Amino acid sequence: MISINNLTVSFGGFNLLDDISFHISEHDRIGLVGKNGAGKSTIMKIICGLQQATSGRVDKPTHFSIGYLPQIMEHHRGRSVREETMTAFDAFHALEAELEAINVELASRTDYESEGYLDLINRLNDINDRLALEDSEPPAVRAEKTLLGLGFKDEDFDRPTETFSQGWNMRIELAKILLQSPDLLLLDEPTNHLDIESIEWLEDYLKNYRGALMLVSHDRRFLDNVTNRTIEILLGHIHDYKVSYSHYVQLRAERMATQIAAYENQQRMIDKTEDFIARFRYKPTKSNQVQSRIKALEKLDRIEIDETDHATLTVKFPPAPRSGDVAFKAADLAAGYPGKVVFQHADIEIKRGEKVAFIGRNGEGKTTLMRVIMGELAPLDGEAKTGHQVKIGYFAQNQEDVLDRSQTVFSTLDNIATGEIRTKLRDILAQFLFRGEDIDKKVSILSGGERARLGMAKLMLQPYNFLALDEPTNHMDIKSKDILKQALSAYDGTLVVVSHDRDFLDGLVDKLYEFRDGRVREFLGSVSEFLEHRKLENLQELERRYTPRENNKAASAAKEAFSARKQVSRDEKKLRNRIDFLEKEIGKREQNMKRIEARLAAPQPGDDVMDLTRDYLENKRDMDAMTGEWADLIEQIEQ
């Protein structure tokens, strides 16, 4: 389907990707893995034509469609959620227009044996196949189902896109890409802004997706559930494993262990051989043996151990100047936006040196409160204020909106650093794995993980006594998250962090504020204690619409509804009979269309192409109408 051939990507004298080749087949589910900055996003951009390689090529079929969800994207404004999502069908409508144009042209041509005529027939069949797959239900219905699956509510559909956060706009872009049903999906960290219900919905969708898939994710469970092949990028080279992520980790460890054992055995053999040569080189009685072993060493195929990347963060935050006893306090606080109250009646007190987490579903107000703390958003009601001599260092969730794309890594820090710290910028950047030529990279070419590290490096420029971090680990690999956690644990100032990563928060914070149903509730204790108190397995469970304890009434109601549904009413029987009838009639229309397509592909002397085309379109119109009615009836029964 797609062949990547001898691809090399160079920046200056550094090869990010070095002569890599692999093939993407029709039903591949590929997890692309590697450290931040290894080149995962670069490969995706090259495949979809947004970036050029230094050398090599990407071969793909004509009329091959690719849907690409980048980590960082520009969001459209001026439309409602529904209107923006429906733009996904522009290509669908273009295919319908092309189909109509081909039918008109076929009706006027008589060169049935010509190559051009056969090309038109082939294109007609390709378009019909694509439209048949897409035309299972009306576009508006498909759009709404996809938006609901990704966490939107009915009342959100007519809200302007600009009233939603970056994360929710990412969901709109994801919905558009899924609705386009491309031949290949390229998804770069699609779960970063999704809650657990949306992740599970996306997992199910991707498992049943008819095309190929390549995705980047730091979510191990998501990779295991969705992928069947893992391509690792390591120091510019790739290692291709035809297995899911967890199996890849096991096989990689076994491969490295086998390789190291073989290398060590060979080295022992080489040492013994060289020792023999050195001892008996000048003894005439051993000359034949010596020469034989010298030749054997020269012909030896030397085992090499694959290079590994051991570079890690070495983060240490500067000492925090002393602030007042209370770092932040809110009383009867209501916060939100014009026409939208996100939460209200919140009483919050964060004392000097406390490490606090904000947890809860997306859209419940965690980032909103962060903006109130930063002074970027005024309270709708109540009061909120920071304490005496509190100096806040803020890490925003959307670093791409904060960093200047035209700057280099070094100039990003150099432009804002003052005093003695300017002499330590290279050391600070080295802590965050920007070394050598890395510091001259433009921000515009950095990966999401690299931008996250650069944003974190900016916090080292001043001795802040209050760190406010909004999803700091979203783009970080597991090792980087562990090291950042250690650095924050050792930090002697006040910390507030928004995160849904239990492993990151556990042992780091000792106080939580849960955002739920328009309220903010305080919990004193660790993440593990909170989860035990709420009878939850992980923080993602908070993102479900109902938690186990809250769901008792809902479960009882569901059981009653299920019992009621067992008694099928006469009306439902009529609906089911009508559905059966429609399914048979739709099948007949499909058979008619296939028969007409075959005749159009090879017309006989007595065939009228115009009449055949008209019959084809009439069958298609009937099938479309019946399919629409069928979808409506199915929806009635499901309700």
Side-chain angles (χ1 to χ4, degrees), residues 26-29 65-67 130 134 142 177-186 202-213 226:
E26 187 175 359
H27 299 295
D28 272 341
R29 301 283 190 272
S65 57
I66 298 176
R130 173 58 65 89
E134 303 298 326
R142 290 179 58 208
I177 291 167
L178 297 179
L179 289 167
Q180 289 164 7
S181 299
D183 298 303
L184 171 63
L185 276 174
L186 301 175
L202 181 61
E203 282 181 359
D204 289 338
Y205 185 97
L206 295 178
K207 286 176 187 176
N208 298 309
Y209 189 69
R210 63 174 181 79
L213 166 70
V226 172

Side-chain angles (χ1 to χ4, degrees), residues 404-412 415 440-444:
D404 186 342
R405 294 169 58 87
S406 66
Q407 296 292 326
T408 66
V409 169
F410 182 81
S411 65
T412 296
N415 289 345
D440 297 321
K441 285 183 180 179
K442 285 288 186 69
V443 169
S444 59

Side-chain angles (χ1 to χ4, degrees), residues 273-289:
T273 304
E274 289 177 341
D275 182 57
F276 180 90
I277 293 169
R279 287 171 58 196
F280 300 110
R281 181 184 293 272
Y282 303 108
K283 288 194 175 184
T285 57
K286 298 285 189 180
S287 62
N288 288 340
Q289 295 178 49

Side-chain angles (χ1 to χ4, degrees), residues 69-81:
L69 181 79
Q71 287 182 27
I72 303 160
M73 66 196 75
E74 294 183 4
H75 303 304
H76 301 280
R77 296 172 175 268
R79 296 191 185 107
S80 69
V81 171

Side-chain angles (χ1 to χ4, degrees), residues 417-436:
T418 58
E420 185 181 350
I421 196 70
R422 297 193 66 183
T423 64
K424 301 178 180 178
L425 294 184
R426 291 178 184 272
D427 293 336
I428 291 173
L429 288 170
Q431 290 183 51
F432 291 89
L433 302 185
F434 295 107
R435 301 185 175 103

Side-chain angles (χ1 to χ4, degrees), residues 159 336-342 380:
R159 279 179 55 189
Y337 308 90
K340 173 70 173 176
V341 177
V342 179
L380 297 177

